[in-house]
Amino acid sequence: MRRRSDEQAIGILHLYELNHEIVNNQPAPCVVGMSLAAPFRQQGYGLEAFHQLLAHTASLFGRTEARALTAASNLAAQQVLRKSSFILLEEYPATPLQEAMQLWLRHLLSRY
């Protein structure tokens, strides 16, 4: 991601799991995420970029669902997901090797 005003790099968007697998006669869900550099958080950049990614995922890649995985302690990411119409699908408890995680889901509009 780059800030429009000066093209400074401020973060990265993730879009993966774009395989050709079919689940219940639909393309398998893709997975989305993002990471913003600390000075650019809480300013709306992430939400705007995330909305742009989601707006084009269905039309460019034919996906009808997107999923996101975040740490249960990452309240800022959860807020972005809620504002982006994701719903909490499942929670995973902490293990000795990993903190508690959450799996989120959003249905995407598609012409497929």
Side-chain angles (χ1 to χ4, degrees), residues 31-82:
V31 180
V32 296
M34 78 171 140
S35 181
L36 278 175
F40 304 101
R41 294 177 186 158
Q42 303 295 318
Q43 298 178 45
Y45 293 120
L47 185 61
E48 180 180 348
F50 207 57
H51 283 182
Q52 289 297 316
L53 174 67
L54 293 169
H56 298 290
T57 298
S59 62
L60 292 176
F61 301 104
R63 301 303 158 145
T64 58
E65 290 184 352
R67 294 187 179 189
L69 188 65
T70 189
S73 62
N74 191 340
L75 301 179
Q78 293 167 34
Q79 183 177 14
V80 168
L81 292 170
R82 281 188 196 95

